[in-house]
């Protein structure tokens, strides 16, 4: 029933680079978010494991378009990006899920598949996983973030639908692995 509020100035979480999250093939990320009505930052980073030359993946929204981007890197530098078609910069809650199975990655907004792209194994970056900013710049998130989850598997579309229908106890999903 609560979310974390990010002011776009200095609020973020650094969860380090735990071994359990050094994923190189299958990964899924899920998060609920709501962008403030008039953000000042041009790029609003939701969750990322990125610094130039040592990048694994990132999820961010471009302020001017309201488009959410999800990318993975196979070599630490090249970004294989896909983008939402829904404008999520509308002061409403949205749910994002991104999946990668080592071959394809997919982007869902509010339980709907909006983009797919070819991929590969994810580069094992040494960077910390950050919620609300990147390692390299000040593109901090402005708004609310809730229920950040990362799986070591590529969730099925049924699992994405179940999570997006939330709120859920993510440890007892019918359609998703518990790992």
């Amino acid at each position: 029933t609560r979310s974390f509020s990010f002011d776009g100035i200095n609020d973020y979480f650094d969860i380090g680079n735990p071994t359990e999250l050094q994923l190189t093939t299958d990964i899924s990320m899920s998060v609920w978010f709501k962008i403030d009505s008039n953000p000042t930052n041009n790029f609003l980073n939701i969750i990322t494991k990125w610094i130039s030359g040592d990048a694994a993946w990132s999820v961010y929204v471009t302020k001017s378009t309201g488009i959410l981007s999800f990318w993975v890197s196979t070599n630490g530098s090249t970004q294989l990006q896909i983008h939402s078609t829904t404008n999520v910069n509308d002061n409403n809650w949205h749910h994002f899920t991104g999946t990668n199975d080592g071959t394809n990655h997919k982007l869902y907004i509010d339980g709907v598949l909006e983009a797919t792209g070819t991929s590969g194994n994810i580069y094992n970056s040494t960077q910390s996983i950050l919620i609300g900013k990147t390692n390299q710049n000040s593109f901090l998130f402005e708004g609310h973030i809730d229920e950040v989850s990362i799986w070591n598997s590529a969730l099925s579309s049924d699992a994405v639908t179940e999570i997006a229908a939330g709120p859920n106890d993510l440890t007892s999903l019918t359609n998703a692995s518990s790992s």
Side-chain angles (χ1 to χ4, degrees):
T1 60
R2 301 193 192 264
S3 62
F4 287 99
S5 177
F6 295 80
D7 63 11
I9 299 168
N10 58 6
D11 297 339
Y12 67 93
F13 289 100
D14 181 336
I15 62 173
N17 187 26
T19 304
E20 301 84 10
L21 296 177
Q22 294 176 18
L23 307 174
T24 58
T25 53
D26 294 359
I27 187 172
S28 294
M29 291 173 268
S30 170
V31 62
W32 285 91
F33 66 95
K34 178 182 175 187
I35 298 171
D36 284 349
S37 61
N38 191 21
T40 57
N41 293 325
N42 291 324
F43 298 99
L44 307 164
N45 286 278
I46 298 172
I47 183 169
T48 187
K49 188 173 184 181
W50 174 82
I51 194 168
S52 182
D54 189 21
W57 42 262
S58 185
V59 178
Y60 67 93
V61 175
T62 303
K63 171 186 158 179
S64 61
T65 62
I67 299 301
L68 183 140
S69 298
F70 168 49
W71 61 259
V72 297
S73 176
T74 58
N75 63 8
S77 298
T78 305
Q79 299 171 3
L80 306 171
Q81 293 198 37
I82 52 178
H83 311 281
S84 71
T85 56
T86 299
N87 178 343
V88 296
N89 187 5
D90 60 1
N91 202 31
N92 291 307
W93 280 99
H94 291 282
H95 180 262
F96 158 79
T97 300
T99 67
N100 185 84
D101 65 7
T103 303
N104 299 293
H105 61 231
K106 299 178 182 179
L107 182 155
Y108 298 83
I109 298 292
D110 301 327
V112 176
L113 179 64
E114 293 208 356
T116 61
T118 58
S119 185
N121 288 342
I122 301 169
Y123 177 75
N124 190 14
S125 169
T126 62
Q127 297 304 307
S128 290
I129 297 170
L130 300 174
I131 300 169
K133 80 177 277 283
T134 68
N135 280 334
Q136 186 152 323
N137 56 46
S138 60
F139 298 142
L140 281 89
F141 190 80
E142 297 174 67
H144 295 270
I145 295 177
D146 195 21
E147 295 185 26
V148 175
S149 301
I150 300 174
W151 287 264
N152 64 355
S153 60
L155 294 176
S156 69
S157 60
D158 289 341
V160 173
T161 301
E162 182 179 3
I163 296 166
N168 295 294
D169 172 0
L170 296 177
T171 63
S172 62
L173 294 171
T174 303
N175 294 300
S177 165
S178 62
S179 58

